[in-house]
Structure formats: C-alpha cells, structure tokens
Amino acid sequence: GKTDDLHAVINYVIPNYDAVYLVGFSLGGNLILKYNGDGLFPLSSKIKASVAISVPVDLKGSSISLQRNENTLYNWRFLRTLSKKMYLKHRQFPKELDIKPLKMIKNLTDFDEYFTSKINGFKNAQDYYFKASSKQFLPNISKPTLLINAMDDPFLSQSCFPVNESKNNLNFHLMIPKYGGHVGFISKGDFYWSENQILKFIDRY
C-alpha cells in the first residue's frame, strides 16, 4: 500500500516519456490500484491506463484464504522466506528489530500481526489490511484500469472479485477468467494470455 514509493518512481521517470502505463502483479497490482484511487497524490496526465493481474484487493480476505488446507504449501513457503528476511534484518538492526515473536508465528496473519504491521507503522494486522487494501478505493479510479483475477486463484477470497465496483465505475474494468491461478495465465505462443490482454488494453489508450 506504500503509494508514495510508486509516486516517487513515476515522478523520476515521467519527464522522459509522453505516455506512461502502469502494470502490476499480485501485491504490485494492489499498489497500482490503490495509487489510482486513494487520492493521496495527483496523477500525472501522462498516465494513460493501468492493468493489474492476480490482485488480493482485500488483504484480509486473502490472508484468510491462504490459511485454507489446500494452501498449506504456499503458507509454509512464504513464512520460510519471510522468516529468513527477518533474521537478516535483525543482523542489520539488532536493537530495532525483535525477532522473538518468530517462535509464535503459525501463519501469514501472525507474521503480519507481529512484523509487517509494526515495522510499517500500523497498529496491527487488521489495521494494515484495511488501510493497505485497494478495494475501498476502486470507486474513485478515474483513469482506464483493468483488473484480471482468475476464479481458480488460490490466494483470493470471494471479496477479491470486485464485480459491483466494476459495474459502478466506467473507468474500472474487471475480467474473471475461469483459469489462470495466481499469475499463471499460460497459453500457446510466445506470450502468456495475460500479457496479450495487457497489450490489448493499453493499446486502446
């Protein structure tokens, strides 16, 4: 949800371009959607369109989905990777980062409760999920934006399919293909199906 980072990058590169198109995947897609709608920063007129792929627009719902039995492997892999990062950060900042809570972590919600939220200035995991989720900002999107979320994406809850938001905002378009998993829209040929959809959409603008 840290849209100030994205805004800084865009401002840095935008003088070199006549048009800019934003494309984000998973949490990167959440960042782009939030940037388009949260109103924290003025959007340059050079930003013509955005596309987001496999996005957990409701972070709380997604965190619950990741705790389902069929997602045990994903949950374990994420926690393993994130725990390693915490140990590395602890070596860099031993006084600032307490890694004792790692012993109590059983799932990603626990990790967000003890680490993600606290390190980034949120009260707790629920505060982080609410403030960083892009779903609440989708009605405010004012530039052409496409979201592609597959029905069989194991990371997404039902709340991550913002059908009503797309019906009520002409600038926000939603595609829900039956298959594709999480950023896995493979197809015959040199490009992923999702890549072709990205190109088709931005070509219109």
Side-chain angles (χ1 to χ4, degrees):
K2 203 162 170 51
T3 48
D4 50 339
D5 279 355
L6 178 58
H7 189 65
V9 172
I10 291 171
N11 280 349
Y12 181 77
V13 303
I14 214 162
N16 303 316
Y17 298 93
D18 295 323
V20 171
Y21 301 87
L22 306 178
V23 179
F25 299 84
S26 195
L27 287 176
N30 182 70
L31 185 68
I32 283 175
L33 294 175
K34 184 174 180 290
Y35 181 69
N36 269 279
D38 67 9
L40 294 177
F41 303 97
L43 301 186
S44 169
S45 60
K46 290 185 177 181
I47 298 176
K48 304 303 181 183
S50 301
V51 183
I53 309 290
S54 300
V55 181
V57 296
D58 174 21
L59 295 175
K60 180 179 179 179
S62 181
S63 72
I64 294 171
S65 289
L66 279 165
Q67 294 177 45
R68 296 192 299 239
N69 288 335
E70 60 265 33
N71 288 330
T72 299
L73 184 60
Y74 292 122
N75 190 65
W76 173 81
R77 180 61 184 263
F78 285 141
L79 287 180
R80 187 166 174 261
T81 303
L82 290 167
S83 295
K84 286 182 178 179
K85 288 183 179 180
M86 288 303 100
Y87 282 113
L88 289 173
K89 287 298 177 185
H90 179 66
R91 290 178 197 169
Q92 289 179 286
F93 309 102
K95 295 181 180 179
E96 290 84 357
L97 182 61
D98 180 13
I99 57 172
K100 291 178 184 176
L102 280 174
K103 298 177 182 177
M104 298 181 283
I105 290 174
K106 299 288 192 298
N107 52 53
L108 284 171
T109 301
D110 290 342
F111 185 88
D112 290 335
E113 180 74 22
Y114 291 109
F115 291 100
T116 309
S117 60
K118 302 298 189 298
I119 290 172
N120 292 286
F122 298 99
K123 295 177 184 177
N124 49 39
Q126 300 309 314
D127 185 45
Y128 158 58
Y129 294 151
F130 175 71
K131 292 178 179 176
S133 292
S134 61
K135 186 174 184 178
Q136 60 188 309
F137 304 111
L138 298 180
N140 304 328
I141 289 177
S142 59
K143 291 178 180 285
T145 301
L146 171 65
L147 169 63
I148 302 176
N149 276 354
M151 289 178 64
D152 65 344
D153 190 326
F155 295 0
L156 304 185
S157 61
Q158 191 59 44
S159 58
C160 290
F161 297 90
V163 175
N164 289 333
E165 287 82 353
S166 68
K167 289 180 180 179
N168 296 321
N169 185 345
L170 295 177
N171 295 305
F172 177 59
H173 307 269
L174 176 65
M175 292 180 69
I176 308 177
K178 190 173 182 180
Y179 303 110
H182 193 71
V183 199
F185 300 91
I186 60 173
S187 62
K188 295 179 180 179
D190 296 330
F191 293 94
Y192 273 46
W193 176 86
S194 53
E195 292 172 327
N196 284 316
Q197 297 305 315
I198 291 168
L199 292 172
K200 284 181 183 178
F201 188 76
I202 65 176
D203 275 347
R204 289 158 56 182
Y205 304 97

